[in-house]
Amino acid sequence: MTTILYPAPAAKRAWENLIGLDQQKQLALENLELVLEPNKFQAWANKHHGRNFYLAQRTLQASALLIFTGDVGCGKTALALTVGQALAVKLNCPISMFVAPSNLRGHGLVGQLSGRISEIFAQARAAIPKRGHGLLLIDEGDSIATSREQLQAHHEDRAGVNALIREVDESAENSQRLAVILATNRGNALDPALLRRAIHVVTFARPTGEQLRALWQHLLQGIKHRGSQLDALMRGHGDGVYSTSDIIHRVGRMAMLTAYKAGRKLTVDDFLQAIQVIKPTPVFSGVRA
């Protein structure tokens, strides 16, 4: 399991460069603050509704599980890996991000998946900073949290989901300083019991409208361009909608290399030529939660 410590200068820059994801950033920060440091919310509830206000009590009992779902290349993992930086600044305390290994499933042996899930939770809880909090990131979470209702679900898959639910519940019941971020491209494949436990499901989509405009304006900083050229870039290829990754790593890369090979400055025409060539990647099926 990989551990990342925040605050960190590199993470600060990466967080700031997540353009067009302001709503997702805000939702992630608000919900993580609520489950990790609920004192402010508790004080508000006590002041306005008394100590025994049912809805406030249930809110504070919510599982410390945040689900990121949406299409490939739209910023789920990038935001998950940098939200610890913004949270460390907001809460003024150290944050440790624990990244679960990609081979969490192991070799499919009986008891292996559930055992590994319990092990990474135990490791994360033991390594939380004394005066801080921990975040456990499970990327490609559908690989271990697929609905138990599916007919083809193997016994070991069901046992893994049960173990994950048990660990999430334990964190909530014991008021542990650990929140879980589960990221997936297949939100509609997740087990319903896990979805019900999530304090929030944050959805990521391919950029359109003002989100897309903000992304292009960020990429074109320092490059002269007209409003009509920006509009043309926003229209894209015409064969689908680009993901954020498409724009930065495919269109942007081709434009940059064209200018590099010509030995000149990058221009907006390089981007316009690139979008004529590069088609958007296909939308990943089953991205809705």
Side-chain angles (χ1 to χ4, degrees), residues 46-172:
N46 292 346
K47 177 180 178 180
H48 295 284
H49 300 284
R51 290 185 175 276
N52 298 319
F53 188 53
Y54 174 77
L55 188 56
Q57 291 177 337
R58 292 307 301 266
T59 299
L60 291 171
Q61 292 167 2
S63 298
L65 170 65
L66 195 60
I67 294 177
F68 289 178
T69 182
D71 201 1
V72 176
C74 292
K76 298 184 301 297
T77 303
L79 197 153
L81 287 171
T82 53
V83 69
Q85 167 65 29
L87 192 63
V89 173
K90 187 175 181 65
L91 301 182
N92 192 29
C93 69
I95 300 290
S96 289
M97 164 69 76
F98 309 107
V99 183
S102 58
N103 63 342
L104 195 57
R105 290 187 60 84
H107 302 290
L109 300 177
V110 175
Q112 188 174 40
L113 177 56
S114 55
R116 285 190 170 205
I117 289 172
S118 297
E119 182 180 352
I120 64 164
F121 271 86
Q123 291 176 356
R125 288 168 182 141
I128 296 173
K130 283 188 176 182
R131 294 182 178 84
H133 302 286
L135 301 176
L136 174 60
L137 171 60
I138 304 176
D139 206 0
E140 307 297 343
D142 52 280
S143 66
I144 65 167
T146 301
S147 175
R148 293 164 294 180
E149 296 175 350
Q150 294 190 12
L151 293 177
Q152 69 272 28
H154 188 273
H155 169 76
E156 184 64 10
D157 295 323
R158 293 190 177 97
V161 176
N162 289 336
L164 181 57
I165 291 173
R166 183 174 63 250
E167 294 294 344
V168 167
D169 285 348
E170 183 178 334
S171 292

Side-chain angles (χ1 to χ4, degrees), residues 216 219 244-261 266-267 270-271 273-275 278:
W216 275 116
L219 295 178
T244 304
S245 181
D246 285 337
I247 293 172
I248 296 174
H249 299 296
R250 299 178 67 232
V251 174
R253 177 182 173 82
M254 174 176 279
M256 183 73 71
L257 290 178
T258 298
Y260 170 71
K261 287 187 287 187
L266 181 66
T267 69
D270 295 320
F271 288 99
Q273 291 173 13
I275 65 173
I278 296 179

Side-chain angles (χ1 to χ4, degrees), residues 206-217:
R206 299 194 174 206
T208 58
E210 289 306 310
Q211 184 184 13
L212 180 59
R213 182 177 294 275
L215 177 58
W216 275 116
Q217 288 175 331

